[in-house]
Amino acid sequence: MQSVLMDVDTGIDDALALVYLLSRPEVTIQAITCTAGNVGARQVALNNLALLELCGRTGVEVAVGAEVPLEIPLVTTEETHGPQGIGYAELPKPAGEISPRHAVDVWVETVRAHPGEITGLITGPLTNFALALRREPELPRLLKGLVIMGGCFNYQGNTTPTAEWNVSVDPHAAQEVFAAYSGLPQDSLPVVCALETTERIEMRPEHLQRLAEAAGAAEPELVLPEHLQRLAEAAGAAEPELVLPEQPEGQRSRSRNPLVACLSDAIRFYMEFHRLYDQGFVAHMHDAFAAAVAVGRTPYATRPATVHVETGSPRLIGTTVADFRGIWKEPANARIVTSNDPGQCFDELISSVGALARSLPLRSS
Ligand code: RIB
Ligand code: CA
């Protein structure tokens, strides 16, 4: 069994990361803690409660932590992830409640109770984890491991020319986290999934169609004479789930599979955003890759490095720099992912999330 404690800023790719982990029978999600980032922390928590219920998985604690960064004002990005943080997807108000515990208490108490057993996964700004480290400096030794989605090394930023979003939202927290890992044994250092490898996890429309097929929600071969097609549709039979660039912006999924519909509506928004910024009708699934890394189900290679996060320069704040050669004569504090296999990662995500979707009751048309 794999035990994961995740801190997120859900977020469309955070949502895919969560449903992927929920699709893994061997994974136990100890708790989900929420930080402000893509959207506000409480909206992040509501998104996670709603996604858990969509997947029929209640009983996972969802806690809110820091609602603002350590030192700089909060910036959110509804233009990237939608007003609620899950694109065009509209999920019912969750029945579940946000935990009364603070995220920092969840991290410190849970990891102390399960020494050496829990893999931490952080797919948002590092505010909560930095605060947890202040409370319990032994966290790096008590955790089984830590995977962070964040930073960019010798690679264009996605928030400023040199900074990646999660680090950019709270650079002081990121710097504290890397400093806390300085000098630890290499196999204890955080595995850092940064933009130069996460942007290779580039979701395209055919991936969404494959996901719908894996969920049994699209029968692309089911090409019937038009009158029979109409009859089949009237009977709620599957129809091809297509998210295509030529479709009107904001078109909603008609899939009767609730998870397919949610992901199609969420990811369409993300694809439209990437197209707006000349990256094509694609969606970078940064966090889903980090989740597959955290549970060891996608190949990757890493290199040890000493990471510094710039916090003093107005123009370069949030920039992450990696010393791979020991020039600074400081011990390594991270293992940066240097290669991955996008094809295998999508095969893994699609087959596993598709199987979860297939298990869910269909919604009425
Ligand atoms: O830069 C990409 C990261 O920022 C992802 O985690 C995305 O969800 C946003 O949080
Ligand atoms: Ca995220």
Side-chain angles (χ1 to χ4, degrees):
M1 283 306 278
Q2 304 243 17
S3 191
V4 175
L5 179 48
M6 57 197 301
D7 190 281
V8 298
D9 67 334
T10 310
I12 294 166
D13 55 330
D14 305 74
L16 184 59
L18 173 60
V19 298
Y20 168 67
L21 292 177
L22 292 173
S23 75
R24 296 306 319 157
E26 76 281 1
V27 172
T28 299
I29 298 179
Q30 284 287 341
I32 302 169
T33 59
C34 305
T35 186
N38 290 323
V39 292
R42 304 197 72 78
Q43 183 59 51
V44 170
L46 294 174
N47 291 342
N48 281 278
L49 286 168
L51 287 163
L52 287 166
E53 290 172 17
L54 176 72
C55 297
R57 299 286 301 276
T58 51
V60 178
E61 182 178 11
V62 177
V64 170
E67 304 211 31
V68 292
L70 295 184
E71 295 191 28
I72 61 176
L74 172 64
V75 175
T76 55
T77 180
E78 287 77 2
E79 68 277 9
T80 308
H81 290 266
Q84 289 189 315
I86 44 175
Y88 294 120
E90 291 162 18
L91 293 175
K93 184 177 180 309
E97 299 283 329
I98 297 173
S99 169
R101 289 206 294 174
H102 188 283
V104 171
D105 297 325
V106 172
W107 273 87
V108 172
E109 292 162 12
T110 305
V111 177
R112 279 178 180 161
H114 303 279
E117 296 173 18
I118 294 175
T119 299
L121 170 63
I122 304 174
T123 64
L126 290 128
T127 318
N128 286 332
F129 193 69
L131 292 171
L133 281 167
R134 289 182 184 176
R135 173 91 65 78
E136 176 49 274
E138 285 304 300
L139 268 185
R141 293 171 185 81
L142 291 170
L143 279 166
K144 178 182 177 186
L146 180 68
V147 176
I148 295 170
M149 191 281 132
C152 54
F153 299 94
N154 307 312
Y155 190 84
Q156 178 85 8
N158 64 358
T159 305
T160 74
T162 59
E164 176 277 331
W165 172 259
N166 290 335
V167 174
S168 183
V169 167
D170 195 340
H172 299 89
Q175 176 55 22
E176 281 194 26
V177 170
F178 286 113
Y181 274 85
S182 179
L184 286 182
Q186 205 164 111
D187 61 2
S188 300
L189 299 180
V191 172
V192 180
C193 306
L195 291 184
E196 60 273 17
T197 49
T198 65
E199 287 192 354
R200 302 183 70 226
I201 311 300
E202 187 166 83
M203 196 167 214
R204 297 185 303 276
E206 57 265 32
H207 292 122
L208 275 175
Q209 186 171 355
R210 282 175 52 195
L211 175 59
E213 289 158 12
E219 303 294 340
E221 310 314 317
L222 187 67
V223 182
L224 294 168
E226 198 257 343
H227 62 287
L228 284 180
Q229 183 67 29
R230 282 210 315 274
L231 181 64
E233 284 169 8
E239 59 184 65
E241 175 69 9
L242 299 172
V243 175
L244 299 172
E246 61 271 19
Q247 291 169 332
E249 291 214 342
Q251 178 168 310
R252 296 302 197 273
S253 168
R254 293 170 55 197
S255 174
R256 293 183 56 215
N257 185 290
L259 183 52
V260 167
C262 171
L263 291 174
S264 290
D265 290 346
I267 296 167
R268 178 192 294 276
F269 189 98
Y270 214 17
M271 289 177 164
E272 290 172 4
F273 172 82
H274 285 77
R275 175 171 61 186
L276 201 59
Y277 287 85
D278 300 327
Q279 293 179 287
F281 195 67
V282 299
H284 295 143
M285 287 300 164
H286 314 275
D287 299 342
F289 169 62
V293 165
V295 295
R297 292 186 63 87
T298 192
Y300 64 94
T302 63
R303 274 182 75 190
T306 305
V307 171
H308 170 79
V309 181
E310 181 52 39
T311 56
S313 158
R315 188 177 288 267
L316 297 177
I317 189 167
T319 299
T320 45
V321 180
D323 174 9
F324 290 101
R325 298 179 177 171
I327 296 170
W328 287 330
K329 296 192 180 3
E330 294 170 5
N333 56 13
R335 289 177 284 168
I336 298 172
V337 174
T338 52
S339 67
N340 58 1
D341 182 343
Q344 184 280 343
C345 189
F346 276 114
D347 291 347
E348 168 66 10
L349 294 171
I350 287 166
S351 61
S352 203
V353 173
L356 171 59
R358 191 184 282 268
S359 73
L360 300 178
L362 296 183
R363 60 184 189 173
S364 56
S365 57

